[in-house]
Amino acid sequence: MLSIDPLTKPPNTDLKLSGSKSITNRALVLSALAKGTSTLHGALFAEDTIAMVDCLKGLGVDIECDEIHERIIVTGSGGDLRSSGDPLWVRQSGTTARFIMPLAALAQTDIMIDGDPQIRNRPHKELFDALKKIGVGIIFEGEADHLPVRINGANLRAEELHVNAEQSSQYLSALLLSAPCMSQDMTLILASEVVSMPYLQMTLSMMRSFGAEVEENEKNKFSIRATGYTAKDYEIEADASTASYFFAAAALSGGRVKVEGLGKSSIQGDVGFVDLLEQMGAEVTRSEQAIEVRGSNSLHGVNASMENISDTAPTLAVIAPSATTQTSVSGIGFIAHKESDRVTAVVTELRKLGIEAEDNGDGFTIQPGTVKSGVVHTYDDHRIAMAFTVMGLVTSGIALDNPECVSKTAPGFYEYVDQLRLEGDQELAILAIDGPAGSGKTSLAKRIANKIGLEYLDTGAMYRSVAAKVIEEGINPEDSDLVVAIANKITIAFEEDEVFVDGKNLTDIIRSPEVNAVVSYVAANPGVRAVLRRTQRSWARKRGGGVLEGRDIGTVVFPRARLKVYVTATPEERAKRRSLESGRPMEKILQEITGRDEIDSSRADSPLSISGDALMVDSTGKTIDEVTEEILGSFHG
Ligand code: CDP
């Protein structure tokens, strides 16, 4: 569960959000089919895009991921896909499930496609029907028209094909994306209304960017030449759907949020969400590089069809109660088949929070009202979790039962949310003490906290607690996902000098040589850091400040801390102190701490480094009293 800390000041933030999921997954497919090597810049690394990467690798495509630089290098297959024989696992990703089916057919052999329970429940009937018409063998291993399915494209033939895209435009996008790699030209005729038209336009525009020749000579009749695709370097825009939560937060709080890398000519339809905010009374500024929203004193309700921007409907739903008049949304009946039944989900959760909301079959109607506190059920749906987080920023007492589901499309979501809180966090009385292993931070921090009447938090003990639990459960510290799961589920409690992990006193165990040996590996895991950072920030906000010590407090956890201190001493001095405390041989300790320093300073996420505005304190040869005085002088001064 995650309690959302309300904003204490309106945000004033420039955000650089991660790349668009829809563009990343289309670019992956296009570059996998292209001839030559493509580099995708600004790519999103989230469950849905990793699902696509893994499935494409399963079709023999060589893909190199560089998450740090948000870059993916794809060596294109030129349409010559080959199965390794292993099933393709789409996780929970709808785009992956749909886009990969025609691609699997291109491999012209028996391929099993399957995924998590959530995607097994989602229908794909119209896509299966279309594939059958062009000779693709389809055998359902479970329920008809659902995954798991076995696909065999040995008899695949390109011809004129009618496609129904009433439930999802992804059916048509999936067929369009693979069409240039068929053995001959193809014609796709839209046999229904299409929902989410902007996604279809995104597909067409990206296909053309990768060299496809696709024409719409008659309305809704697409002719695609069998030219294949050409590799290219491709810049991915920031995710417009994810941006909606931050624009909404600005509108609701009367603050300002600018999202970079998302401009007025974006190929993402969800960029249109800001038009609704503008109608409600927010101020929107658009340029080619960025979009900025400023909230106003009051917002009024809207009456809108969100058919073209349905992913942002939950975002609008959480703003609606704060408007002065009713909000009514139509045109989104089809979102019942998304990760959750989204209309039912928002209406149910809003009612739980005391808001009058109604499902009107094709959308929802929401009345203005005062939101009560409560725990929101997320339905394991990232968009429900992200939308209600926004509500929690302006209402106290909102919590989410399953906050981690945001990693489907936005693993960095809560970190971005914390960037909205920077203005408020700046008002806290934070003393940040960082430094290498054994530099005496703990004793110093305790003593100073006592003198200035603030509470103290040993963040190293939190990383140690996760490491101890990893050892206790026999988990491989390199198994990133399992280690993050531990960080998510454990409870760490401090009582005086003792540390309780899931109710058990682990004070001695967390300082054992076994924990020393793995803690830095565990702490280098970005998922673990994200979870613990959230707890650390929330701890300080609840207390109006505090003394926090660790490795990244002044650089990352509280970059606007009132005072930042970097405490160090020579490795020999640090090892000598630890040896005196523990009675263990100094040589051994020296090896241990220099090893940890090396990992802590070289990891990609929040490495141990000295903040430019930190007070440097070298404690070599100094008493703890001398160092305490030095720091206190700066804190008060
Ligand atoms: O007490 P000592 O200085 O040896 O270490 P600690 O503060 O208990 O921290 C143990 C380990 O946790 C460090 O070596 C880091 O790997 C990690 N840590 C971190 O990464 N970030 C923090 N804010 C605190 C600790």
Side-chain angles (χ1 to χ4, degrees):
M1 198 170 80
L2 176 68
S3 301
I4 313 295
D5 295 331
L7 291 167
T8 52
K9 288 190 91 179
N12 180 17
T13 313
D14 288 358
L15 279 176
K16 165 111 191 48
L17 297 178
S18 46
S20 154
K21 176 198 81 169
S22 306
I23 299 181
T24 302
N25 269 0
R26 280 169 176 76
L28 279 166
V29 169
L30 292 165
S31 50
L33 290 174
K35 290 184 200 76
T37 300
S38 301
T39 303
L40 312 180
H41 300 275
L44 171 68
F45 286 82
E47 278 175 21
D48 276 14
T49 56
I50 293 164
M52 181 64 91
V53 167
D54 288 346
C55 287
L56 292 171
K57 283 182 177 170
L59 290 172
V61 182
D62 185 20
I63 302 180
E64 213 182 292
C65 291
D66 176 356
E67 186 167 355
I68 306 290
H69 300 100
E70 299 181 326
R71 200 164 50 207
I72 303 181
I73 300 170
V74 183
T75 310
S77 63
D80 183 16
L81 298 167
R82 284 149 206 270
S83 167
S84 65
D86 292 336
L88 304 180
W89 190 260
V90 304
R91 301 190 184 206
Q92 298 192 3
S93 169
T95 47
T96 305
R98 280 120 185 209
F99 294 176
I100 213 71
M101 285 180 205
L103 255 64
L106 285 175
Q108 306 205 311
T109 181
D110 219 42
I111 297 181
M112 171 81 141
I113 304 178
D114 199 0
D116 294 345
Q118 195 187 59
I119 195 79
R120 283 185 173 190
N121 286 330
R122 291 175 68 178
H124 319 279
K125 180 174 184 332
E126 289 79 2
L127 182 55
F128 288 129
D129 288 349
L131 288 169
K132 282 181 202 163
K133 279 190 243 161
I134 51 172
V136 179
I138 295 195
I139 298 172
F140 299 111
E141 296 284 329
E143 196 186 333
D145 298 318
H146 290 71
L147 299 185
V149 67
R150 263 191 303 133
I151 288 204
N152 191 323
N155 298 320
L156 176 68
R157 50 177 195 272
E159 58 184 43
E160 195 169 282
L161 181 62
H162 289 73
V163 188
N164 182 319
E166 211 166 24
Q167 286 292 332
S168 169
S169 62
Q170 287 171 4
Y171 302 149
L172 186 57
S173 283
L175 293 159
L176 280 166
L177 286 167
S178 53
C181 296
M182 297 283 178
S183 52
Q184 48 188 310
D185 297 352
M186 204 172 175
T187 303
L188 292 172
I189 300 164
L190 190 53
S192 68
E193 292 290 308
V194 61
V195 291
S196 314
M197 184 57 112
Y199 282 116
L200 186 56
Q201 279 155 356
M202 177 192 283
T203 301
L204 294 169
S205 125
M206 289 185 66
M207 285 171 70
R208 292 183 179 119
S209 294
F210 281 80
E213 289 178 31
V214 45
E215 272 160 41
E216 194 181 356
N217 296 328
E218 276 171 52
K219 190 163 165 30
N220 293 340
K221 185 168 177 180
F222 303 93
S223 309
I224 309 108
R225 299 224 18 241
T227 54
Y229 291 110
T230 315
K232 69 174 298 177
D233 274 14
Y234 193 87
E235 193 69 46
I236 291 165
E237 300 175 3
D239 193 293
S241 319
T242 304
S244 75
Y245 309 106
F246 300 95
F247 293 141
L252 268 179
S253 63
R256 180 197 70 87
V257 171
K258 184 198 236 179
V259 173
E260 317 264 7
L262 181 68
K264 61 179 174 194
S265 310
S266 165
I267 57 169
Q268 299 171 78
D270 279 359
V271 80
F273 177 71
V274 294
D275 302 345
L276 286 183
L277 293 180
E278 199 165 42
Q279 273 183 47
M280 295 178 90
E283 192 187 313
V284 180
T285 314
R286 303 163 179 85
S287 74
E288 286 301 340
Q289 291 77 36
I291 295 179
E292 179 175 283
V293 172
R294 282 173 194 269
S296 65
N297 288 338
S298 102
L299 297 170
H300 25 266
V302 278
N303 199 339
S305 164
M306 294 186 83
E307 182 181 332
N308 282 339
I309 54 168
S310 64
D311 278 344
T312 61
T315 324
L316 190 70
V318 300
I319 306 178
S322 301
T324 50
T325 55
Q326 164 184 299
T327 288
S328 206
V329 167
S330 60
I332 55 166
F334 65 97
I335 70 171
H337 305 293
K338 296 278 184 166
E339 283 81 340
S340 71
D341 177 347
R342 284 194 180 143
V343 173
T344 310
V346 290
V347 166
T348 309
E349 296 313 301
L350 284 174
R351 283 185 181 163
K352 250 190 344 208
L353 301 174
I355 296 300
E356 216 180 296
E358 229 179 282
D359 177 345
N360 52 29
D362 187 35
F364 48 71
T365 302
I366 298 167
Q367 303 300 332
T370 307
V371 179
K372 292 194 309 203
S373 60
V375 179
V376 172
H377 179 40
T378 62
Y379 304 80
D380 200 19
D381 183 342
H382 56 134
R383 303 228 172 273
I384 303 296
M386 293 193 272
F388 280 89
T389 298
V390 174
M391 184 169 250
L393 291 177
V394 292
T395 313
S396 51
I398 301 286
L400 305 178
D401 68 350
N402 171 19
E404 300 314 319
C405 60
V406 304
S407 57
K408 188 171 193 290
T409 54
F413 179 73
Y414 298 109
E415 194 60 35
Y416 300 135
V417 169
D418 269 338
Q419 290 184 41
L420 302 184
R421 296 194 178 101
L422 277 174
E423 297 289 306
D425 285 354
Q426 190 171 336
E427 313 277 299
L428 301 170
I430 302 282
L431 172 54
I433 305 183
D434 290 307
S439 55
K441 303 178 304 294
T442 309
S443 349
L444 255 179
K446 272 189 204 166
R447 182 179 281 233
I448 293 173
N450 199 12
K451 286 203 183 234
I452 57 181
L454 288 175
E455 284 184 61
Y456 144 81
L457 185 66
D458 175 357
T459 65
M462 299 171 76
Y463 290 95
R464 288 175 177 278
S465 299
V466 177
K469 201 73 187 174
V470 164
I471 296 171
E472 185 186 301
E473 298 207 355
I475 287 167
N476 176 356
E478 315 249 328
D479 191 331
S480 175
D481 291 348
L482 286 181
V483 175
V484 176
I486 296 273
N488 267 312
K489 74 172 191 235
I490 68 168
T491 317
I492 306 167
F494 294 94
E495 281 176 33
E496 303 289 322
D497 282 343
E498 311 210 298
V499 183
F500 292 81
V501 180
D502 292 337
K504 236 163 75 187
N505 190 335
L506 294 193
T507 313
D508 294 332
I509 290 178
I510 66 164
R511 312 248 164 238
S512 64
E514 291 74 22
V515 168
N516 282 339
V518 298
V519 64
S520 289
Y521 294 99
V522 167
N525 181 326
V528 172
R529 301 203 72 79
V531 174
L532 296 188
R533 208 156 46 215
R534 232 152 60 196
T535 317
Q536 291 156 15
R537 287 176 177 147
S538 195
W539 175 91
R541 287 186 199 119
K542 286 197 176 68
R543 292 162 175 78
V547 180
L548 293 93
E549 58 103 349
R551 300 290 188 285
D552 59 343
I553 310 301
T555 49
V556 180
V557 181
F558 283 111
R560 299 196 192 173
R562 186 167 297 175
L563 177 67
K564 300 176 191 175
V565 181
Y566 190 89
V567 190
T568 188
T570 60
E572 291 71 24
E573 169 105 6
R574 292 189 271 134
K576 196 168 86 192
R577 290 182 195 154
R578 278 279 151 98
S579 171
L580 284 174
E581 272 165 28
S582 64
R584 295 175 55 225
M586 181 180 146
E587 272 312 304
K588 192 105 193 94
I589 295 181
L590 184 61
Q591 227 178 36
E592 232 173 59
I593 62 174
T594 47
R596 264 197 297 133
D597 285 353
E598 169 59 26
I599 302 172
D600 292 345
S601 315
S602 59
R603 67 184 175 219
D605 185 347
S606 327
L608 170 66
S609 64
I610 307 169
S611 176
D613 50 353
L615 171 73
M616 281 292 294
V617 178
D618 187 343
S619 67
T620 315
K622 289 184 190 155
T623 66
I624 188 163
D625 284 332
E626 285 168 337
V627 181
T628 305
E629 285 316 309
E630 204 174 323
I631 296 173
L632 280 178
S634 290
F635 190 69
H636 293 308

